[in-house]
Amino acid sequence: MAAVDTPPEERPILDGMIGDSAAMREVYRLTRRIASSSATVLLLGETGTGKELVARAIHELSPRATGPFIRVNCGALSESLLESELFGHVKGAFTSAHENRTGRFEAAHGGTIFLDEINSVSYTLQVKLLRVLQEHEFERVGDTRTVTVDVRIVAATNRDLADLAEKGTFREDLYYRLNVLPVYLPPLRERREDIPELVRFFAEKYSAENDRHVTEVTQEALNYLTAYSWPGNVRELENYIERAIVLATDSSLTADLLPSHVRGEAPLRLGRVTRDDLDAVCTELVTMGLSDVSDDGVVHGQIMGMVERELILQVLRSCQGTQTKTAARLGINRNTLHKKIEEYGLDGEAR
């Protein structure tokens, strides 16, 4: 809940949108300012930061609020299925096209279409999207008749589209057409002051849904939740609070109900012995490495290389492959990181 002295324009814009941090107040303020326009919006943020909530808020605060709000997850469909999903098709356009079908753009006429994971759209299909953005028209798959639509586009990505454009996997002209009104949604680790309020909100929600009576969150549990890095952001927090509520046996959400890695312990891995002592794990690693490396003069390079590769791999994954963030977390410059990625064959993990 926003503080009483928070200006109205910086208060949450939808029920269920939690957070009074400076970063979230800026999101609320910007969302209210851009909602009344018809310009394209690009939501930037990691997975689980609430991009769909903001997209829906933009729609509901806009003059198009009485029109449809249509969501499409571009990353969930193949190129051919996505084209049909977005633009529709006519009977006989392909083998399984037994009847005409209206696409999502037509369904969103007079309203808003939310294109989630826009970075997943193929290069070929990007051309058709660019035309819709510029001309507000398209043809259904297998048809020659042009369809004109009045739709506001809100797109979202968890990847750096500028980087993708530089690499040639995302059209530069489409990127500029999408990036008219960018809105950055901060990851949870950048607004830790919102975590206690989010925890209480989810605890109340899942207590009601699961017929539990959890009325208290212990300070120890809050301390762990606030200190954790949250790579999955608000969605991950919500999942863990639901888990804790289901497992609770009394009215308190205690630290022991949280996953071990949230409490700073190593996650349980089936078929492996877990260890809490980092020094012991390090000793075992070096011992095993020495037994596998027999050539004199290469021991240091091979063992250190193995550790460095794993470190870079894990940090890359925790940063969703974004090299700028990975380099910052590792404390090295981006050029060095790029060379290391090539050296260790991690190109497929990097974005």
Side-chain angles (χ1 to χ4, degrees):
M1 183 178 296
V4 176
D5 58 350
T6 301
E9 67 273 13
E10 295 181 7
R11 294 177 185 173
I13 43 186
L14 279 183
D15 290 339
M17 190 170 282
I18 307 298
D20 191 43
S21 61
M24 288 307 294
R25 291 201 301 271
E26 173 62 17
V27 170
Y28 305 148
R29 184 189 64 79
L30 186 56
T31 300
R32 284 188 170 92
R33 289 186 62 184
I34 67 178
S36 60
S37 77
S38 59
T40 301
V41 178
L42 180 62
L43 303 178
L44 310 166
E46 298 175 8
T47 298
T49 49
K51 295 187 287 295
E52 184 174 354
L53 266 179
V54 174
R56 187 173 293 277
I58 290 170
H59 172 72
E60 293 189 4
L61 292 172
S62 76
R64 298 173 177 268
T66 56
F69 175 79
I70 304 296
R71 177 186 181 274
V72 183
N73 185 346
C74 299
L77 300 169
S78 65
E79 178 181 344
S80 58
L81 289 176
L82 181 59
E83 183 176 13
S84 174
E85 188 75 13
L86 290 174
F87 305 111
H89 62 252
V90 295
K91 182 179 179 180
F94 45 86
T95 305
S96 59
H98 302 303
E99 58 185 5
N100 291 347
R101 179 180 178 181
T102 299
R104 297 297 186 93
F105 271 100
E106 284 182 84
H109 183 71
T112 305
I113 188 168
F114 173 48
L115 303 177
D116 199 5
E117 297 187 35
I118 190 71
N119 50 279
S120 301
V121 176
S122 71
Y123 202 85
T124 302
L125 197 50
Q126 288 172 31
V127 177
K128 205 163 183 176
L129 276 177
L130 181 62
R131 182 184 173 200
V132 177
L133 277 163
Q134 292 178 331
E135 310 295 338
H136 304 288
E137 61 183 31
F138 60 89
E139 287 82 38
R140 292 179 179 177
V141 178
D143 199 3
T144 57
R145 183 177 63 91
T146 298
V147 178
T148 302
V149 289
D150 173 23
V151 175
R152 184 183 196 175
I153 295 176
V154 178
T157 178
N158 58 8
R159 301 276 296 277
D160 187 334
L161 294 186
D163 274 355
L164 296 182
E166 286 181 11
K167 293 176 181 176
T169 58
F170 198 88
R171 291 183 62 95
E172 189 174 20
D173 47 5
L174 178 58
Y175 165 64
Y176 289 126
R177 289 294 302 177
L178 289 170
N179 199 40
V180 178
L181 292 173
V183 179
Y184 172 69
L185 276 68
L188 193 53
R189 62 183 175 275
E190 291 182 6
R191 57 181 188 107
R192 294 180 188 273
E193 60 267 46
D194 291 332
I195 290 176
E197 186 181 358
L198 283 162
V199 170
R200 286 187 284 269
F201 174 83
F202 291 133
E204 182 177 333
K205 173 184 176 181
Y206 289 109
S207 290
E209 288 186 9
N210 294 281
D211 195 26
R212 296 291 197 271
H213 302 284
V214 177
T215 58
E216 176 196 12
V217 181
T218 67
Q219 188 59 51
E220 182 185 20
L222 274 179
N223 289 344
Y224 281 126
L225 292 166
T226 304
Y228 182 58
S229 61
W230 298 111
N233 294 294
V234 177
R235 189 176 300 144
E236 184 183 13
L237 173 64
E238 180 175 4
N239 290 342
Y240 291 162
I241 298 304
E242 181 180 12
R243 172 187 186 274
I245 294 298
V246 171
L247 295 176
T249 57
D250 56 29
S251 62
S252 295
L253 193 161
T254 53
D256 61 290
L257 298 172
L258 302 174
S260 59
H261 61 280
V262 175
R263 303 195 307 268
E265 302 171 9
L268 177 64
R269 296 184 179 179
L270 297 178
R272 299 188 183 183
V273 176
T274 60
R275 291 196 177 196
D276 297 326
D277 189 338
L278 187 59
D279 289 336
V281 173
C282 184
T283 300
E284 183 178 356
L285 171 65
V286 173
T287 300
M288 292 175 64
L290 287 172
S291 67
D292 290 339
V293 181
S294 57
D295 295 339
D296 293 337
V298 299
V299 170
H300 179 272
Q302 288 198 17
I303 294 178
M304 294 302 291
M306 177 175 59
V307 173
E308 186 177 51
R309 183 186 189 280
E310 183 62 22
L311 173 62
I312 292 174
L313 174 62
Q314 291 198 26
V315 176
L316 264 173
R317 287 176 174 172
S318 72
C319 295
Q320 286 76 47
T322 304
Q323 294 187 43
T324 303
K325 293 181 181 178
T326 301
R329 188 171 181 192
L330 290 170
I332 61 179
N333 67 55
R334 187 172 172 182
N335 288 336
T336 299
L337 175 62
H338 185 70
K339 292 177 182 177
K340 295 290 184 182
I341 288 172
E342 289 186 343
E343 179 183 348
Y344 293 127
L346 297 175
D347 302 79
E349 298 286 343
R351 306 292 183 261

